[in-house]
Amino acid sequence: MKAQGIIIATAMFFIATVMSSAVLAAERPAPSVMGDWRGKVVDESGEPVAYANVAVLAKADSAVVCGTVTEEDGTFYISTRETDGIMVVAMLGYKTQYLPLGESAASLQEAPAKNAITTTKKTAEIEAAGNTAETEEMLITLQEDTAMLEGAAVEATMPVTKLTGEGMQTTVRGSVLENAGSAKDVLAKTPGMIQGQDGLEVIGKGSPLVYINGHKVTDKSELERLQSNEIQSVEVITNPGAQYDATVRSVVRIKTIRRQGDGFSFSLDASDEQSLTWKKGNDPFGAFNANYRTGGVDIFAGVNYGRYTQQQISYLEKATFGNNLFEDKGDLLSEFIGNNIYGNAGVNWQIADDHFLGGKVEWGRKLSQNNRTVVNDNVFENGVEIDRLTTISEDSNGSAKPYNIGANVYYNGLVKGKFGIDINFDYYGSKDGTRSVSAETSEMTHDAAIESNSRGSSQMYAAKAVFSYPIWKGQLQFGTEETFSRRTDNYTIEGIELPASQAKVREDNYAGFASYGCDIPKFGQLSAGIRYEYIHYSYEDAITPANNLQRNYSNWFPSASYSTRINAGKAGPIQLMVNYSAKTKRPGYANLSSAIRYNSRYIWQSGNAQLQPERSHDVSLMALWKFITLTVNYTRTDNAILVWSAPYGDEGVVLVKPENIKTPMRNMAVYLNFRPTIGPWTMNYTVGVQPQWLTINAPDPREESGVRQTKFNGKPTFFAQLFDTFKVKGGWQFEVGGSLMTKGYMQNLYMKNVYFNLTAAIQKSFLKDGSLVLRLEGHDLAHTAHFDIDTDFGSHTIKQNNIFSSQCIKFSLRYNFNTAQSKYRGTGAGADEKARM
């Protein structure tokens, strides 16, 4: 009742805000942007032009005095003592504008021909944009450059990558990344990102939350559907501010190109990926997205289908130390095939200037999934073979097909041009179920048939309100976020005496946050924030009440950042940024269930209801000079959650479950990114190293004290990502690259082989606007993209070699008709909680 009351109260505030905002919209003054030179850049239809470059040139020698990039609403401000000279406004796809300032404006109006300014490619039209006095706002209109859009050679004047107050922003439009394929392909080649064991990661920060135009991505296939030529920029945030959940360590924000015009549009994407080592490894994918825009209303919908497969072949050696020594040597073959379908629909309504209201529904269903695993084990006790066992397991959907559904309703806008409001309500629900059947055949002991069934359901309600207001030379942001989650899990097993489980998890999260950021001339940009979270958590198991528990958490999470520019003389300016943030990581609900899951006769698995959240402190430093970026990240984590394995009883059974380690874990990532361009050849090279410091006091019955220090230090992992792109006339693009990772420690694992993923692609764009794209690409062409691991749990050790069906070729087709990217502006609430579910 308390949670419902809070949501109802927030909803009433939301309705009142929308009504009052609509009334105030008609009489609000023009937005005010602070600075000596301030204004707004728009196109010929009056729509804002985001990310345009604005620079002030000195009158004497045309040297760049200072510059900036327009915000998403087209506004900019430049603080400088220069009162005379020329302002240059440039954006790919538009004609460059040269605007005289101060005395230059008067002299230019008297003799415009004498003061004509030309570029290396063409003569630019010069026009004064009204009175440029410091107290008035400039309105600068850019004209579309049709010659440029048809493929004329241009020289990009904007930097490819720049530092923001939170991370690095890379411009995609106009770069070779524009034709990289899907958004997933773009992220794989974005500075600060790397392909890790679990997919795309922010270097040193793990898997990020991804937002597209402020909308949280909950369906990973959305990154496949979004095409690279629709992306304006990608911002990799290594220091998420106070408005993000304290569990979020990294964020990727994707901005798409703003499309103009009303009418119907659609995009069609189709691809087929075939493994070269496994005949069944065929992954077709198809997506259709449509959009209809009329006036201030934007209606959109989409559906996609995907088949996902993976084969794993492994050789394992395990040793368990107790009263007796148990050794297990064998091989594993695992084959997974799944079919999923997803859909979405929504509407965005522009009530008035700077006032937006909308809603969106997303749904997904696992049509089928089958995971077949065959394990052959030879088991020894004190050197004598005691079992020769073959286990065949089949995992599939339970009695009902798993599904998930989510909904978002939002309002955002500006009241009187200054007071920003962003309110979101979210719902997320899911049901899942797995039926697992195992047949064990033993040549030396007994056979067995095991069947288990698990069913679960989740519900989440969330509300988030963010307010902003300009103060002095910056902006104050504050707000609140509430998340209410419920989870039920039921687990039964037959064929072996293990307890069933009927668990209920409840978690309520109340958060408040505030931050302030400002730009101080000649000093730099400063920002600081604070977030407070209060969490009530309860776990109840109807079958095993001894596992029941309740906890309350109350924590503060500060963050701060500073960025500036250093003038290095002829070498050019150097951008610098330093960040600090305190974060936490809460265990996923699957890790909180104490039910013991049966994997095989000698391996069992469970969660751990006693897990405590992690707490970490992050410090990062970034420096950018021309096309070179240096990044240093350092993280200390207390109560780190690691998967741990230990003997269960004295018959060779091992129980795998997550544990909090008592010693701190310290990690560092240092890397350089180089992005030079020579003619049609663009290089994107990242090289770095990731050392860690971790010592664990692990139980070991072989030691007199019963404890042994296991160290995961001294062998850092070196990595490199080398991508080369050749873009030539006729819409052709050729790519070759590779990702490499050396031997070294990662958490409590030792990677004992060199990982190398060789990739190549060829792509051709068709039609005048390039709306039809055909692409052929290959991955893991050398078949060396796999990780072999060793690990030491004290009383249990594992050695495992793996081969995956990742060597593949992929053909894709993409067609866009009158593409109009949805204007959806919902930012969502409870993003991290959805991921935990």
Side-chain angles (χ1 to χ4, degrees):
M1 294 299 294
K2 184 178 180 181
Q4 294 175 348
I6 292 176
I7 290 183
I8 292 172
T10 312
M12 295 176 62
F13 173 78
F14 164 72
I15 296 170
T17 301
V18 173
M19 295 178 62
S20 62
S21 299
V23 173
L24 292 169
E27 59 185 39
R28 68 170 180 82
S32 174
V33 183
M34 301 175 65
D36 297 330
W37 302 105
R38 57 195 176 96
K40 187 173 185 179
V41 179
V42 298
D43 61 16
E44 293 173 285
S45 63
E47 289 290 331
V49 176
Y51 313 114
N53 289 273
V54 183
V56 174
L57 309 184
K59 178 181 179 181
D61 55 5
S62 296
V64 177
V65 177
C66 58
T68 189
V69 177
T70 58
E71 301 294 336
E72 189 176 359
D73 61 358
T75 58
F76 69 89
Y77 76 92
I78 296 177
S79 181
T80 175
R81 294 183 178 180
E82 188 73 28
T83 57
D84 193 8
I86 296 173
M87 178 177 290
V88 181
V89 184
M91 179 66 186
L92 194 66
Y94 296 91
K95 294 181 179 179
T96 302
Q97 293 284 7
Y98 296 85
L99 309 175
L101 304 175
E103 296 178 0
S104 298
S107 62
L108 183 64
Q109 291 170 359
E110 294 174 1
K114 181 179 178 180
N115 290 276
I117 300 174
T118 61
T119 67
T120 57
K121 296 293 179 184
K122 60 182 76 68
T123 302
E125 179 184 356
I126 306 171
E127 62 179 52
N131 188 349
T132 59
E134 294 182 9
T135 56
E136 296 188 13
E137 184 175 296
M138 306 170 70
L139 180 63
I140 302 171
T141 302
L142 297 183
Q143 297 177 345
E144 188 176 275
D145 191 336
T146 56
M148 183 180 295
L149 294 177
E150 290 173 2
V154 296
E155 291 184 3
T157 58
M158 66 183 69
V160 175
T161 301
K162 71 171 186 176
L163 297 185
T164 65
E166 296 175 303
M168 293 184 293
Q169 185 183 82
T170 299
T171 302
V172 175
R173 186 181 185 186
S175 73
V176 293
L177 293 178
E178 186 175 23
N179 294 306
S182 66
K184 185 177 178 181
D185 298 318
V186 171
L187 294 182
K189 300 175 182 178
T190 297
M193 302 288 292
I194 192 172
Q195 183 70 36
Q197 292 187 76
D198 300 320
L200 289 170
E201 299 178 357
V202 173
I203 299 176
K205 298 287 186 175
S207 300
L209 288 182
V210 180
Y211 289 84
I212 299 176
N213 293 335
H215 160 65
K216 166 70 169 59
V217 174
T218 55
D219 170 14
K220 292 183 179 180
S221 65
E222 189 169 353
L223 296 177
E224 294 277 4
R225 301 196 302 269
L226 178 62
Q227 302 309 304
S228 55
N229 62 357
E230 293 293 324
I231 299 175
Q232 175 69 45
S233 66
V234 174
E235 185 176 8
V236 178
I237 299 173
T238 56
N239 182 50
Q243 66 169 300
Y244 295 99
D245 189 288
T247 62
V248 178
R249 294 190 59 205
S250 60
V251 171
V252 170
R253 289 199 294 232
I254 299 175
K255 299 286 186 180
T256 61
I257 297 171
R258 183 185 294 272
R259 301 295 186 182
Q260 308 304 329
D262 292 343
F264 176 74
S265 64
F266 70 85
S267 65
L268 176 66
D269 306 299
S271 66
D272 190 37
E273 182 177 299
Q274 176 62 51
S275 170
L276 299 179
T277 60
W278 183 38
K279 186 177 180 180
K280 294 181 181 179
N282 181 257
D283 296 0
F285 174 84
F288 178 80
N289 291 276
N291 197 98
Y292 179 73
R293 181 175 297 161
T294 175
V297 179
D298 189 35
I299 303 172
F300 56 93
V303 63
N304 75 86
Y305 162 82
R307 182 176 188 261
Y308 304 94
T309 64
Q310 185 182 59
Q311 183 191 62
Q312 176 183 344
I313 301 173
S314 301
Y315 176 77
L316 301 94
E317 292 185 4
K318 296 169 285 183
T320 304
F321 308 100
N323 294 331
N324 295 304
L325 169 63
F326 287 89
E327 296 174 283
D328 189 340
K329 300 178 181 179
D331 55 71
L332 175 148
L333 171 64
S334 176
E335 297 178 347
F336 174 83
I337 300 176
N339 295 272
N340 302 328
I341 188 169
Y342 296 93
N344 68 83
V347 61
N348 182 81
W349 175 30
Q350 186 172 354
I351 306 171
D353 290 344
D354 296 329
H355 294 271
F356 299 86
L357 179 67
K360 183 176 184 177
V361 176
E362 296 178 301
W363 59 270
R365 181 178 287 276
K366 293 182 180 179
L367 299 177
S368 66
Q369 63 173 350
N370 181 269
N371 189 9
R372 186 175 188 269
T373 304
V374 180
V375 180
N376 296 303
D377 284 317
N378 295 83
V379 184
F380 301 83
E381 182 177 4
N382 297 324
V384 178
E385 187 175 19
I386 61 170
D387 204 354
R388 196 174 299 147
L389 181 70
T390 297
T391 303
I392 301 176
S393 301
E394 298 272 356
D395 296 339
S396 59
N397 286 339
S399 56
K401 291 184 174 65
Y403 73 88
N404 61 76
I405 185 169
N408 169 259
V409 178
Y410 79 92
Y411 164 79
N412 65 48
L414 285 173
V415 178
K416 292 191 175 182
K418 290 186 177 182
F419 187 67
I421 302 172
D422 186 356
I423 300 177
N424 284 263
F425 296 96
D426 277 75
Y427 168 79
Y428 180 82
S430 68
K431 285 192 176 182
D432 53 81
T434 301
R435 178 176 179 263
S436 180
V437 178
S438 298
E440 298 179 348
T441 304
S442 174
E443 297 182 16
M444 302 182 68
T445 57
H446 63 278
D447 298 343
I450 310 296
E451 179 177 339
S452 64
N453 287 275
S454 63
R455 301 184 309 278
S457 64
S458 301
Q459 286 188 316
M460 182 208 72
Y461 302 88
K464 184 176 183 179
V466 183
F467 308 97
S468 60
Y469 191 79
I471 297 177
W472 190 48
K473 294 182 178 294
Q475 181 166 272
L476 173 67
Q477 189 178 76
F478 59 96
T480 181
E481 182 174 13
E482 286 76 37
T483 305
F484 309 99
S485 306
R486 306 293 182 264
R487 171 78 183 176
T488 62
D489 280 298
N490 295 289
Y491 177 76
T492 59
I493 187 168
E494 299 176 358
I496 189 173
E497 293 185 4
L498 285 177
S501 173
Q502 293 182 9
K504 292 183 179 181
V505 178
R506 171 177 175 174
E507 184 173 294
D508 299 333
N509 187 327
Y510 306 87
F513 55 87
S515 63
Y516 179 75
C518 63
D519 190 345
I520 303 175
K522 295 185 178 182
F523 178 74
Q525 295 179 335
L526 280 172
S527 66
I530 189 72
R531 182 182 180 95
Y532 172 75
E533 291 187 358
Y534 174 80
I535 298 172
H536 173 73
Y537 168 82
S538 67
Y539 176 91
E540 297 179 1
D541 192 326
I543 296 180
T544 313
N547 292 330
N548 295 354
L549 61 89
Q550 292 194 19
R551 291 191 183 130
N552 295 315
Y553 300 102
S554 178
N555 301 104
W556 294 89
F557 300 97
S559 61
S561 70
Y562 168 70
S563 60
T564 188
R565 284 173 174 254
I566 297 176
N567 189 352
K570 294 182 179 180
I574 300 174
Q575 300 180 58
L576 295 173
M577 180 174 65
V578 61
N579 297 320
Y580 164 78
S581 62
K583 296 292 181 181
T584 188
K585 180 181 179 181
R586 303 183 189 98
Y589 288 116
N591 286 335
L592 293 170
S593 173
S594 294
I596 296 178
R597 312 292 170 121
Y598 185 90
N599 289 353
S600 70
R601 184 172 296 185
Y602 297 100
I603 300 178
W604 299 354
Q605 186 174 354
S606 78
N608 183 356
Q610 303 296 324
L611 283 178
Q612 296 284 347
E614 295 181 353
R615 185 67 185 264
S616 63
H617 298 271
D618 297 339
V619 178
S620 64
L621 171 68
M622 293 184 183
L624 189 151
W625 175 72
K626 294 185 177 180
F627 54 81
I628 302 176
T629 305
L630 169 67
T631 303
V632 180
N633 290 323
Y634 174 81
T635 303
R636 175 192 166 111
T637 303
D638 296 306
N639 282 335
I641 300 174
L642 299 179
V643 175
W644 202 256
S645 180
Y648 188 78
D650 199 27
E651 296 183 0
V653 176
V654 170
L655 181 63
V656 180
K657 69 176 184 178
E659 296 277 4
N660 290 112
I661 60 173
K662 297 180 180 180
T663 53
M665 182 169 65
R666 296 182 292 272
N667 305 84
M668 178 177 284
V670 181
Y671 60 94
L672 278 169
N673 177 257
F674 306 85
R675 295 174 56 85
T677 297
I678 304 174
W681 177 23
T682 296
M683 292 156 274
N684 183 358
Y685 299 162
T686 300
V687 293
V689 60
Q690 295 188 93
Q692 71 171 27
W693 298 268
L694 175 62
T695 300
I696 300 176
N697 294 320
D700 189 342
R702 294 172 295 176
E703 301 291 329
E704 292 185 6
S705 63
V707 176
R708 177 170 59 88
Q709 279 195 342
T710 56
K711 297 184 178 181
F712 305 90
N713 311 317
K715 295 181 180 180
T717 300
F718 293 86
F719 61 91
Q721 291 195 148
L722 311 174
F723 297 109
D724 296 280
T725 303
F726 301 88
K727 190 174 182 180
V728 297
K729 293 182 179 179
W732 288 97
Q733 182 167 301
F734 303 90
E735 303 171 18
V736 62
S739 301
L740 180 144
M741 186 174 294
T742 67
K743 303 176 183 180
Y745 285 114
M746 297 183 67
Q747 293 190 344
N748 59 333
L749 303 177
Y750 177 68
M751 320 307 294
K752 61 181 181 180
N753 71 302
V754 176
Y755 170 96
F756 178 62
N757 183 8
L758 177 64
T759 62
I762 181 172
Q763 179 175 294
K764 178 70 169 72
S765 300
F766 296 89
L767 305 181
K768 184 178 180 180
D769 58 355
S771 57
L772 175 63
V773 178
L774 302 182
R775 181 179 175 89
L776 179 66
E777 57 191 287
H779 297 272
D780 191 17
L781 298 177
H783 204 203
T784 52
H786 60 89
F787 294 96
D788 299 335
I789 63 170
D790 286 352
T791 189
D792 184 354
F793 300 107
S795 57
H796 182 61
T797 62
I798 298 176
K799 297 180 179 180
Q800 181 171 335
N801 297 339
N802 305 297
I803 294 291
F804 298 94
S805 58
S806 52
Q807 186 183 43
C808 63
I809 57 172
K810 179 180 178 181
F811 176 75
S812 59
L813 177 152
R814 303 177 179 93
Y815 176 67
N816 298 320
F817 172 75
N818 191 31
T819 304
Q821 191 69 32
S822 169
K823 293 183 178 180
Y824 197 75
R825 293 169 175 255
T827 55
D832 183 69
E833 193 63 20
K834 297 176 189 176
R836 292 178 67 204
M837 290 182 172

